[in-house]
Amino acid sequence: MVSLATGFHPGHTAAKPLLMPLLAAWAALRGAPRLLIAALLLGWGGDVLLMSGADAAFLAGMASFAAGHVCYLALFRAYGSARARTGPLALGYAVVLAVTVVLLWPDLPAGLRVPVACYSTLLTAMACTAAVRFGAVAGLGGALFMLSDTLIATGIAEWPQPPRPDFWVMLTYTVAQLLLARGVLGERPAPREPRRAVRSAAP
């Protein structure tokens, strides 16, 4: 974050590939499900691929993030439970998705329109499911993930950007992944205590 805020490109290049592996290691040490580790490492793959400016690398990075969202969805289904009414949240997220895609569509490069729309649909499903099945912390993480990727999409569409746009993209993305991990780890069922062996009363 400091490197991005100050424009120190070598620092950003060195630090960015370390973020998700460190977060995955932190989660693993706390007994995280394998699907969470997989989602974080697929995010790492997307981070590395997006460091290249090539169109093919961008699409490959998007595919890596998409696979991570599939892992999150499977994780939420396997370990989460309904914590909010699905209908109102799903409707709200669907409206945000539709408005965002419609507004961005004319300004996106023709070859990216369909991939971005499909990816955005998957991302929105992940964010909504995080809120429904894992509560506020994971839900906020999913929403920030949407914000981060929307900032990337508006940059591709050449919309006006805030100062240091890469800083805001990475800040929202990193916090999003952290909150998703904390939300999952914080909502796991407490491990059961082992039963104590009953001693025999026989002599």
Side-chain angles (χ1 to χ4, degrees):
M1 295 304 105
V2 172
S3 296
L4 285 172
T6 59
F8 182 54
H9 185 70
H12 167 61
T13 302
K16 183 179 179 180
L18 301 177
L19 294 176
M20 290 306 107
L22 287 173
L23 183 55
W26 173 83
L29 289 174
R30 285 155 179 79
R34 291 181 181 179
L35 283 168
L36 176 58
I37 305 301
L40 294 173
L41 292 180
L42 285 164
W44 167 73
D47 290 343
V48 173
L49 287 165
L50 263 58
M51 292 176 74
S52 168
D55 290 344
F58 179 83
L59 289 172
M62 189 187 303
S64 186
F65 280 118
H69 297 325
V70 171
C71 289
Y72 272 127
L73 285 167
L75 171 66
F76 300 153
R77 182 178 178 84
Y79 291 91
S81 59
R83 298 173 181 273
R85 295 177 61 186
T86 304
L89 271 176
L91 178 60
Y93 274 102
V95 170
V96 171
L97 170 65
V99 170
T100 302
V101 171
V102 167
L103 291 177
L104 285 170
W105 188 272
D107 298 324
L108 290 172
L112 289 179
R113 288 172 179 168
V114 173
V116 166
C118 293
Y119 173 82
S120 298
T121 302
L122 183 60
L123 170 59
T124 303
M126 183 279 290
C128 181
T129 308
V132 170
R133 298 188 66 84
F134 269 92
V137 174
L140 179 58
L144 286 175
F145 214 134
M146 288 182 62
L147 176 58
S148 178
D149 283 359
T150 300
L151 288 172
I152 294 175
T154 58
I156 295 171
E158 298 184 352
W159 286 14
Q161 297 291 297
R164 300 287 184 191
D166 289 346
F167 170 82
W168 298 110
V169 168
M170 282 304 299
L171 178 63
T172 50
Y173 164 72
T174 305
V175 174
Q177 292 278 41
L178 175 61
L179 290 177
L180 285 166
R182 288 185 64 90
V184 170
L185 293 173
E187 295 295 336
R188 289 176 306 163
R192 294 181 180 179
E193 294 184 1
R195 293 181 179 178
R196 295 180 179 178
V198 179
R199 294 183 180 180
S200 172

